[in-house]
Amino acid sequence: MPGPSPSAHQVLVYSGPGVSPLSLSHTVLTLSLLLLPHYTVQPVTPELLADQPWEPSCALLVIPGGRDLPFVEELTTKRGVTKRIREYVELGGRYLGICAGGYFGTNEVRFDVGGPMEVVGERDLAFFPGASEGPTFAGFQYASESGSRAVSLFLESSSSSSLKHQVLDHLYYNGGGHFVLPSPLPSTVQVLARYAEAPSSASSASGDKPVAAVLTRNGKGRSLLCAIHPEYPLNDPPARLAIAKLEHEPEKEEIERSERARIEWVEELLVQLGLRPPSRERREAESKNVGKVDGEEDPALLLHPTHPSPIFALSHPNLPELATELVSKKELADKTKGKDQWSLLRDGNDEIKFGTVEAISGPSRSEDEVSKWLATRRRDQPVFETPTIEGLTLDGSGSASPPIPQPPDFHSLTKTVLLPSSSIQYTPRWTPLFNGSTYWSELDVARKRSGRRSGVLRKGEDGEKCSLGDLLLYGETVTSTQTMLDRNPLLLTHLPTPLVFLASFQLSGRGRGSNIWLSPPGCLQFSLLLDLPASLSSKMVFIQYIMALAVCDAVDEDGRLGVRIKWPNDIYAEVEGVGGTEVGSGQKGKAKIGGILVNTNFVGGKWRIVVGCGINVLNALPTTSLSQLHSLLAARVTSQSSSRPLPAAPTMEGTFARIMVAFDAKWEQFIEDKGFKGFTNEYHGRWLHSGQEVTLTTTEPHTRLRILSITPDHGLLRCIPLSQPSTKPSSGLTPLYNRSVDGGEDDRISPGAARQGSGATGGTSDFVDLQPDGNSFDLMAGLIKRKV
């Protein structure tokens, strides 16, 4: 099995048998708060760990607290996942084990030896080459808080140099062990923390305090095992209830200091594992801006936003009425309620208030005052309702039953949309991460280059309309551009089209299926709102292909950056220097740089399409971006002494403008041609799959296939079983598109094929045709599997 790729960004938290639901939820919440948006944090089932190729995208695998024996049963005995986890770490992966997850990561477990709960045995992971003995403190009972307590830890100086605190107080403990160090201590083992106090039986012969946390190096990877629960916030049960057991209960201020120290330590643990928490970067930047007052800009909050920001309605300078009249349609205006100078709309998913900048505090508001107001909005944290300690009780068995903690619900906050003002004109100072003036200039240049007029209305069947990109909603930080359009039926039905919604950051970005789309600094993410003629309803599958083509044409016109299409809806880079390959090696690596999501809705008697797209433009590592590809190309050009000029370095405004122009032209052709046939050769020239051999895992036995083409009428992935290779001569077309193979005008084949799987259509023994919505293509593993 492979190890993690250089762009691995998923933090997977085991959620199967044996895990404490409360430890699971607190682990996901704490890691999310510290790692978003650089990483995604999500629970993972044992089935996925056993059946799916999770390793390349996994930056960290976490096993939270609970019970060790069910971990053994589920992951070692029943599924054999333990071997994969160990190989993943040895090849460069990261493992975090908390309490029971810490026991599970040792060479041997010795729990309650001679007692009624005795568990003794070796463990296959064996990241720590010694034993874990426990419970360190007496009184532990399963499913009970009777043995819980608040403990203090001494941090080893070598492992806490960046921390303010050398002692951590009031951390939650319940049943954890201590790590028995082998003698001599291997150089691959580093002690991170020791218990400040412990029963004498748990101390070593040298009198050292028992070890509570260790870091081990295993091959190319690392594991961190922690016997206590650093994921539990101290102000909430069960940690708060354990603190209350202390002989001298600490003051509120003391607990708050301990809570800050806990967060810093968890962050340090992640750094020790090799992750890059944005929270640390944020605090370091904030420390350089001490003394900021309201109205002053805080650079840290620009790159690490914490909550949604106001959204600006903007339109091409030649068409100012587009933004001014954004919500003037009677059907929409009738649903709004006036309050002060705002119009309030309660839609299906969001509550939104519309108003001009004068609504902020009156008509005397100046451009400078608006800038200060926006800076203050970035600094002001929203208030969310949280359960009180008094409202949490114990059930009859004595175990805590607090509500499962959840991340903040940003969808519950009222969103603000600022419409153009007649007295105070938009200035780029208001949108420091996206310069609207530069964008309009870039849009005009791109249109002129393509032979299209800019800033004019065009006649259509429904009257005059603007071109795509002329009407823009821009939010510095939003929940999700896709969600705000797709799940608010009033906006979806009555906003003018074509409309594009752009954001610099998304707090709840959506990917395909249940995936999360990351939103680190430098990512361009937007959603298009379009009308589709009813006559083309059977051609919707091609919309994702058209967007993929538009992105490739816009960002890599001559193909030298290596930007390619991965079926059905991803944008990849295929070039030396990415995906673990080295420049000059002669081997091209592959790394994802973008994704596409299409939602279709039939509302008001017409189809409304929301096309979401995210592209890494200026991102820093570990993600691969257009900026990195441009630097790799510059190095190649220099080394080869090429006289061919470099393309312009990517910018957010220029990249976005060129994508708008490219998609607008292709969308217009798609509508006029009533289909995708005119794009087929171009699409196959851009994709990654020429002659690729894959395995269809939805058949028994699995079927080996070779990819041929995209069928032109219904957009299916056409494959041929390897047992029946094609012997037909080439027509001279793009290698993977041969009309003699395609089977004619209608690529739907009647049922009855010998080889079929979920999402497969096909009725002859020659072809297997796969639907993009029913299948998931794991490029690195060469698998096509059922989409879940």
Side-chain angles (χ1 to χ4, degrees):
M1 287 296 172
S5 70
S7 60
H9 60 271
Q10 292 181 339
V11 174
L12 304 179
V13 184
Y14 176 71
S15 62
V19 168
S20 157
L22 195 56
S23 178
L24 170 65
S25 59
H26 275 300
T27 298
V28 171
L29 181 58
T30 295
L31 295 180
S32 295
L33 293 174
L34 288 174
L35 292 174
L36 292 175
H38 286 187
Y39 303 85
T40 62
V41 182
Q42 56 199 67
V44 61
T45 63
E47 291 82 7
L48 188 145
L49 291 176
D51 300 335
Q52 304 298 334
W54 52 270
E55 292 94 337
S57 60
C58 181
L60 173 66
L61 177 65
V62 185
I63 297 192
R67 300 183 66 176
D68 161 77
L69 281 182
F71 297 166
V72 176
E73 172 67 21
E74 191 70 23
L75 298 178
T76 302
T77 305
K78 183 178 177 180
R79 300 184 185 276
V81 173
T82 308
K83 181 180 179 181
R84 284 182 61 174
I85 295 175
R86 183 169 180 84
E87 290 178 352
Y88 155 75
V89 172
E90 290 176 343
L91 291 172
R94 305 292 190 264
Y95 174 93
L96 172 60
I98 299 173
C99 198
Y103 280 116
F104 188 59
T106 62
N107 183 63
E108 183 183 3
V109 171
R110 304 173 193 160
F111 185 81
D112 194 31
V113 178
M117 300 179 292
E118 180 179 271
V119 176
V120 177
E122 295 183 349
R123 297 293 179 262
D124 287 359
L125 285 181
F127 293 136
F128 174 70
S132 179
E133 294 184 351
T136 300
F137 298 95
F140 173 76
Q141 295 292 329
Y142 286 112
S144 171
E145 292 296 307
S146 60
S148 68
R149 59 190 294 162
V151 299
S152 297
L153 299 183
F154 289 145
L155 303 185
E156 296 287 299
S157 58
S158 61
S159 65
S160 59
S161 58
S162 63
L163 297 179
K164 301 176 184 176
H165 309 277
Q166 297 301 313
V167 179
L168 300 176
D169 294 319
H170 310 124
L171 297 179
Y172 179 74
Y173 167 93
N174 195 10
H178 50 276
F179 301 98
V180 181
L181 301 177
S183 181
L185 184 66
S187 61
T188 56
V189 177
Q190 179 183 355
V191 176
L192 300 181
R194 296 177 182 268
Y195 291 100
E197 59 175 315
S200 58
S201 60
S203 299
S204 67
S206 64
D208 292 335
K209 298 294 184 182
V211 176
V214 293
L215 177 72
T216 68
R217 292 188 296 278
N218 310 96
K220 297 179 181 179
R222 303 177 189 179
S223 67
L224 197 152
L225 311 180
C226 186
I228 58 100
H229 286 275
E231 76 276 22
Y232 283 6
L234 306 185
N235 292 313
D236 297 330
R240 185 67 182 87
L241 300 176
I243 292 172
K245 296 180 182 180
L246 293 172
E247 182 178 358
H248 301 289
E249 187 171 352
E251 298 291 333
K252 178 180 178 182
E253 292 76 13
E254 189 176 351
I255 296 176
E256 290 177 350
R257 286 194 297 271
S258 296
E259 172 66 5
R260 289 192 294 270
R262 177 190 73 88
I263 290 294
E264 289 181 12
W265 188 52
V266 176
E267 181 180 87
E268 178 66 22
L269 297 181
L270 295 171
V271 172
Q272 295 272 2
L273 281 166
L275 276 70
R276 303 168 57 184
S279 51
R280 168 162 293 190
E281 298 175 16
R282 184 185 308 134
R283 282 208 310 275
E284 290 175 352
E286 288 173 351
S287 67
K288 300 176 183 178
N289 292 279
V290 176
K292 289 286 184 183
V293 298
D294 287 350
E296 287 189 81
E297 194 59 81
D298 187 343
L301 291 180
L302 284 175
L303 297 181
H304 303 286
T306 59
H307 54 277
S309 63
I311 298 165
F312 289 88
L314 305 171
S315 58
H316 193 285
N318 293 349
L319 301 168
E321 70 278 6
L322 295 179
T324 304
E325 300 171 359
L326 179 73
V327 290
S328 62
K329 193 172 182 180
K330 185 177 185 302
E331 293 87 346
L332 195 59
D334 288 346
K335 300 292 184 180
T336 62
K337 296 180 180 179
K339 185 177 181 181
D340 299 326
Q341 297 185 58
W342 299 96
S343 297
L344 194 65
L345 176 68
R346 177 68 254 184
D347 213 334
N349 191 77
D350 294 279
E351 183 177 69
I352 308 163
K353 61 179 185 179
F354 299 88
T356 65
V357 291
E358 286 91 348
I360 295 170
S361 68
S364 62
R365 176 69 64 178
S366 67
E367 173 191 310
D368 188 57
E369 288 172 319
V370 174
S371 298
K372 291 181 178 179
W373 177 80
L374 290 168
T376 301
R377 281 290 299 266
R378 294 185 188 100
R379 298 167 63 86
D380 291 343
Q381 293 281 350
V383 177
F384 296 95
E385 292 187 7
T386 56
T388 62
I389 296 296
E390 294 75 15
L392 302 176
T393 61
L394 299 178
D395 62 25
S397 64
S399 61
S401 56
I404 301 297
Q406 299 293 332
D409 180 14
F410 293 114
H411 294 291
S412 67
L413 300 174
T414 300
K415 314 305 186 298
T416 300
V417 175
L418 294 175
L419 302 172
S421 163
S422 58
S423 59
I424 309 174
Q425 297 301 311
Y426 161 82
T427 169
R429 290 177 59 198
W430 297 349
T431 56
L433 297 180
F434 184 82
N435 189 314
S437 299
T438 300
Y439 164 66
W440 301 125
S441 298
E442 293 278 5
L443 189 67
D444 289 345
V445 169
R447 284 175 176 164
K448 183 177 181 180
R449 186 181 176 193
S450 66
R452 301 170 73 91
R453 296 176 63 191
S454 190
V456 297
L457 297 177
R458 294 185 295 171
K459 292 183 178 180
E461 294 182 0
D462 301 327
E464 290 187 326
K465 284 197 172 187
C466 64
S467 298
L468 180 65
D470 281 338
L471 178 57
L472 174 68
L473 288 174
Y474 170 74
E476 193 172 274
T477 306
V478 304
T479 50
S480 163
T481 59
Q482 196 78 358
T483 297
M484 287 194 68
L485 292 178
D486 182 57
R487 296 184 181 173
N488 286 310
L490 292 174
L491 294 181
L492 180 69
T493 306
H494 301 300
L495 283 177
T497 59
L499 168 74
V500 58
F501 188 0
L502 170 72
S504 292
F505 292 97
Q506 294 188 118
L507 299 170
S508 310
R510 286 165 56 190
R512 192 171 181 230
S514 59
N515 294 334
I516 300 171
W517 174 256
L518 280 179
S519 179
C523 182
L524 178 71
Q525 49 249 315
F526 57 89
S527 296
L528 311 180
L529 179 61
L530 306 166
D531 287 324
L532 181 75
S535 59
L536 290 177
S537 59
S538 64
K539 306 296 183 181
M540 290 179 184
V541 67
F542 291 111
I543 298 174
Q544 58 194 327
Y545 303 161
I546 292 172
M547 175 55 78
L549 269 178
V551 170
C552 288
D553 287 354
V555 306
D556 189 18
E557 184 177 13
D558 60 9
R560 287 191 291 165
L561 294 184
V563 178
R564 310 290 294 279
I565 297 169
K566 170 183 169 290
W567 181 84
N569 55 2
D570 286 332
I571 309 297
Y572 265 64
E574 185 185 40
V575 68
E576 291 181 6
V578 305
T581 63
E582 296 182 0
V583 175
S585 65
Q587 180 182 2
K588 292 182 179 181
K590 298 179 179 66
K592 183 175 179 177
I593 62 171
I596 297 161
L597 176 65
V598 178
N599 294 108
T600 59
N601 302 269
F602 191 74
V603 293
K606 57 185 176 183
W607 286 104
R608 286 232 150 173
I609 311 298
V610 183
V611 186
C613 183
I615 301 293
N616 297 335
V617 179
L618 303 177
N619 310 47
L621 293 172
T623 50
T624 302
S625 67
L626 294 177
S627 178
Q628 181 189 0
L629 299 182
H630 188 272
S631 298
L632 291 172
L633 175 61
R636 292 200 303 274
V637 168
T638 301
S639 64
Q640 297 167 2
S641 300
S642 174
S643 59
R644 191 175 180 184
L646 277 171
T651 65
M652 302 297 280
E653 295 83 0
T655 300
F656 182 53
R658 288 190 291 276
I659 292 174
M660 292 300 96
V661 173
F663 183 85
D664 199 24
K666 293 182 186 302
W667 181 255
E668 189 175 272
Q669 180 183 341
F670 174 66
I671 300 298
E672 290 180 355
D673 293 352
K674 297 183 177 4
F676 191 73
K677 293 180 182 178
F679 300 103
T680 306
N681 285 351
E682 182 184 358
Y683 183 86
H684 290 146
R686 284 283 190 179
W687 76 344
L688 284 166
H689 309 303
S690 300
Q692 183 173 3
E693 295 182 5
V694 295
T695 300
L696 182 63
T697 65
T698 54
T699 62
E700 289 298 337
H702 295 176
T703 306
R704 289 291 293 168
L705 307 170
R706 179 181 290 114
I707 298 174
L708 293 177
S709 63
I710 294 293
T711 60
D713 286 320
H714 298 279
L716 309 178
L717 184 70
R718 173 149 291 177
C719 306
I720 187 168
L722 285 179
S723 58
Q724 300 176 7
S726 174
T727 58
K728 297 180 180 180
S730 169
S731 65
L733 297 175
T734 302
L736 288 193
Y737 180 63
N738 188 325
R739 287 297 297 173
S740 66
V741 173
D742 186 73
E745 289 297 311
D746 191 344
D747 54 43
R748 290 173 296 181
I749 303 173
S750 60
R755 289 182 170 90
Q756 294 189 43
S758 172
T761 71
T764 75
S765 60
D766 292 333
F767 304 124
V768 175
D769 291 345
L770 301 167
Q771 300 173 1
D773 290 340
N775 298 283
S776 176
F777 193 175
D778 192 304
L779 176 73
M780 303 308 178
L783 301 176
I784 297 177
K785 55 187 183 294
R786 180 177 288 107
K787 185 68 181 180
V788 294

